[in-house]
């Protein structure tokens, strides 16, 4: 099942999702999380094991599914659900509290979105803005290729809803597992490494140009942020920027009111860019780290393949050093950087990223409460020292997760 198929269901009846495939960073999982639907993937043979009419408990947090549960199991889950509801209540109370650490370091918390239905989450979470708007979702749920005016209408509505809060629109990230039903499918041996995202945009500039036009028109008289996915080289960024500049010039010639400001950023999710950091932080107006793809490519482990998706821990010294190199290069060049992959929405992982120097995150709406609770209890100075020490005294362990969790327990940081 793909993310578009999920959106076809009547959400008022959908209480949980059990999938035979799909790891936690697969796109269907991301969409389910955005919609607040508990989901568990990788349940082998689920469709054969579950009969129509069966009672099923779906515990998305623990990744567990109970089919035809016994009364004692059901009661245990009821207790768990009550506990969770109490936690949710605590998170709701945190809504009015600032996202500032215990030692006074402000952290920017934004949410990820992709459809108009996500927009009320801005109010509900009191997030600072939308750090990643996945524009491909409109394309994935449509029956035909959205026209430029349909795209413009969505972007305008999103900006209207955001009421001045920043929105970072990501240009189309199609291809790979994000298939458009009405577009001719190109069979590829390795779709994740294939013709997708900015590669399509650069090779078929009509599509990218139309989208840029829609974005610039929607942003007329407002501050606009656009970012480009799957950029593998600085040259690709420059070529895409030329397309954007051309569209800006064209609209100006036609007398359109341009955006008040336009920032063009880049998703850092292809490891080759880590070796062009000095150039990319100079060229781009901002960076946004797509940890889902960055980790899949860094470890050569398919994020959609359950056999390998969780094989390597992003909290290992190798991945953390890679992430540190990005934030260091960005800080040196005064280039703003946000983490928008799933890693930035998990309290322990977000804590580690703060320890590396990251100060801005964009996550699913449901993650804002737990992440805020974590950071408000955090002493950044102490954490930074500890993370530096952990990375300096590496012993080749596969993961620093146990040490980071021990730090959290020691400092009473809820993760
Ligand atoms: C990512 O790769 O981390 C990301 C945010 O983009 P997507 O999950 O849409 O590929
Ligand atoms: Mg990505």
């Amino acid at each position: 099942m793909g993310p578009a198929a999920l959106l076809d269901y009547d959400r008022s009846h959908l209480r949980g999702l059990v999938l035979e495939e799909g790891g936690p960073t697969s796109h269907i999982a991301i969409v389910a999380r955005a919609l607040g639907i508990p989901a568990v993937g990788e349940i082998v043979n689920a469709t054969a094991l579950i009969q129509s009419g069966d009672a099923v408990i779906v515990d998305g947090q623990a990744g567990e599914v109970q089919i035809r549960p016994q009364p004692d199991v059901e009661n245990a889950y009821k207790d768990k659900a009550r506990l969770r509801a109490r936690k949710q209540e605590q998170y709701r109370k945190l809504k009015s509290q600032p996202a500032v650490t215990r030692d006074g370091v402000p952290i920017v918390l934004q949410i990820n979105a992709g459809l108009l239905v996500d927009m009320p989450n801005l109010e509900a979470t009191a997030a600072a803005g939308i750090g990643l708007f996945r524009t491909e979702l409109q394309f994935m749920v449509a029956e035909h290729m959205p026209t430029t005016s349909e795209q413009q209408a969505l972007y305008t509505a999103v900006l209207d809803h955001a009421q001045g809060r920043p929105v970072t629109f990501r240009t189309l990230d199609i291809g790979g597992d994000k298939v458009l039903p009405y577009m001719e499918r190109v069979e590829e041996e390795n779709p994740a490494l294939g013709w997708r995202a900015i590669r399509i945009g650069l090779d078929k500039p009509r599509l990218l140009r139309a989208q840029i036009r829609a974005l610039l028109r929607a942003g007329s008289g407002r501050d606009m942020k656009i970012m480009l996915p799957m950029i593998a080289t600085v040259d690709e960024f420059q070529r895409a920027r030329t397309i954007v500049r051309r569209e800006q010039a064209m609209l100006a010639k036609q007398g359109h009111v341009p955006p008040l400001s336009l920032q063009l950023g880049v998703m850092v999710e292809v490891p080759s860019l880590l070796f062009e950091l000095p150039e990319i932080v100079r060229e781009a107006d901002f960076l946004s780290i797509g940890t889902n793809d960055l980790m899949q490519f860094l470890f050569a482990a398919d994020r959609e393949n359950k056999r390998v998706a969780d094989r390597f821990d992003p909290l290992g010294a190798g991945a953390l050093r890679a992430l540190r190199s990005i934030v260091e290069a960005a800080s040196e060049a005064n280039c703003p950087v946000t983490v928008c992959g799933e890693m930035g929405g998990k309290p322990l992982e977000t804590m580690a990223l703060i320890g590396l120097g990251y100060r801005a995150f964009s996550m699913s709406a449901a993650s804002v409460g737990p992440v805020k609770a974590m950071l408000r209890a955090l002493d950044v100075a102490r954490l930074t020292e500890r993370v530096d020490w952990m990375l300096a005294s590496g012993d080749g362990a596969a993961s620093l997760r146990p040490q980071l969790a021990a730090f959290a327990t020691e400092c009473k940081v809820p993760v």
Side-chain angles (χ1 to χ4, degrees):
M1 188 187 200
L6 176 60
L7 292 159
D8 282 344
Y9 285 87
D10 175 0
R11 243 161 291 139
S12 61
H13 288 103
L14 204 54
R15 304 302 295 271
L17 194 63
V18 180
L19 298 161
E20 295 195 340
E21 295 173 347
T25 63
S26 65
H27 286 108
I28 184 149
I30 289 169
V31 173
R33 205 168 296 134
L35 297 173
I37 302 168
V40 178
E42 301 169 9
I43 303 295
V44 182
N45 244 349
T47 47
L49 293 170
I50 304 171
Q51 306 297 319
S52 183
D54 277 350
V56 178
I57 295 172
V58 183
D59 183 347
Q61 235 171 10
E64 288 169 3
V65 173
Q66 302 287 340
I67 305 165
R68 297 180 289 276
Q70 296 295 322
D72 53 339
V73 172
E74 202 173 318
N75 284 333
Y77 273 94
K78 275 186 185 150
D79 285 346
K80 205 171 170 182
R82 271 193 287 270
L83 194 72
R84 185 142 192 262
R86 271 208 294 279
K87 268 202 169 156
Q88 291 299 333
E89 192 45 46
Q90 286 169 6
Y91 297 148
R92 259 192 293 278
K93 285 190 187 135
L94 274 185
K95 189 183 144 181
S96 54
Q97 302 294 318
V100 176
T101 65
R102 206 160 65 87
D103 55 344
V105 180
I107 307 286
V108 179
L109 299 184
Q110 302 192 82
I111 55 167
N112 295 344
L115 293 167
L116 225 38
V117 293
D118 296 323
M119 295 310 291
N121 289 337
L122 256 184
E123 270 306 310
T125 58
I130 294 180
L132 164 64
F133 190 90
R134 290 183 164 99
T135 61
E136 61 275 9
L137 288 187
Q138 180 190 24
F139 286 69
M140 288 160 75
V141 301
E143 255 139 45
H144 62 267
M145 183 78 84
T147 62
T148 312
S149 4
E150 284 167 341
Q151 295 177 49
Q152 183 184 339
L154 172 67
Y155 308 149
T156 304
V158 167
L159 289 167
D160 289 346
H161 266 89
Q163 295 181 330
R165 278 175 281 210
V167 179
T168 305
F169 291 97
R170 177 175 74 182
T171 61
L172 269 185
D173 185 4
I174 47 172
D177 67 322
K178 298 179 194 171
V179 183
L180 302 187
Y182 42 84
M183 212 168 138
E184 196 193 339
R185 211 184 158 146
V186 193
E187 286 304 328
E188 296 180 301
E189 285 282 338
N190 292 303
L193 305 179
W195 200 52
R196 50 175 291 205
I198 199 66
R199 299 170 183 187
I200 301 181
L202 291 173
D203 295 355
K204 279 205 181 289
R206 267 179 61 187
L207 200 61
L208 181 61
R209 270 182 16 222
Q211 186 178 32
I212 298 290
R213 210 172 308 142
L215 284 164
L216 293 174
R217 282 185 185 158
S220 165
R222 323 195 222 208
D223 294 316
M224 276 301 273
K225 292 178 89 176
I226 299 177
M227 68 178 171
L228 306 160
M230 283 290 288
I231 293 282
T233 61
V234 174
D235 168 69
E236 280 190 334
F237 175 75
Q238 290 167 332
R239 281 162 54 205
R241 187 175 55 195
T242 303
I243 293 176
V244 175
R245 299 267 188 269
R246 226 176 263 160
E247 283 313 306
Q248 279 179 297
M250 184 97 83
L251 287 178
K253 217 154 116 196
Q254 292 167 353
H256 284 278
V257 179
L260 215 51
S261 69
L262 173 66
Q263 290 186 49
L264 191 63
V266 59
M267 292 275 295
V268 180
E269 50 184 351
V270 181
S272 55
L273 215 45
L274 270 62
F275 301 91
E276 283 195 284
L277 283 173
E279 293 85 359
I280 200 68
V281 293
R282 214 173 40 225
E283 296 282 315
D285 294 324
F286 63 92
L287 308 184
S288 190
I289 320 255
T291 52
N292 308 335
D293 276 315
L294 185 61
M295 292 303 140
Q296 115 162 313
F297 298 132
L298 207 55
F299 289 115
D302 185 351
R303 65 194 262 192
E304 305 282 340
N305 179 343
K306 61 181 181 183
R307 281 216 164 124
V308 295
D310 296 326
R311 187 179 176 91
F312 305 100
D313 193 345
L315 292 183
L320 291 180
R321 284 188 190 126
L323 290 162
R324 186 166 65 178
S325 69
I326 305 169
V327 72
E328 281 178 354
S331 310
E332 243 166 68
N334 259 333
C335 178
V337 57
T338 300
V339 177
C340 69
E342 295 300 298
M343 198 179 164
K346 297 177 180 166
L348 185 67
E349 278 80 345
T350 316
M351 186 190 88
L353 290 164
I354 292 175
L356 296 177
Y358 288 93
R359 298 290 181 263
F361 303 90
S362 189
M363 60 196 71
S364 68
S367 297
V368 174
V371 167
K372 202 195 254 188
M374 175 280 290
L375 71 88
R376 286 180 54 83
L378 195 63
D379 186 329
V380 178
R382 194 166 164 191
L383 169 71
T384 308
E385 204 176 291
R386 188 70 68 92
V387 170
D388 281 350
W389 177 83
M390 284 179 203
L391 288 177
S393 53
D395 58 359
S399 172
L400 297 176
R401 188 174 294 274
Q403 292 183 53
L404 287 159
F407 172 85
T409 310
E410 180 189 318
C411 302
K412 299 196 171 53
V413 176
V415 286

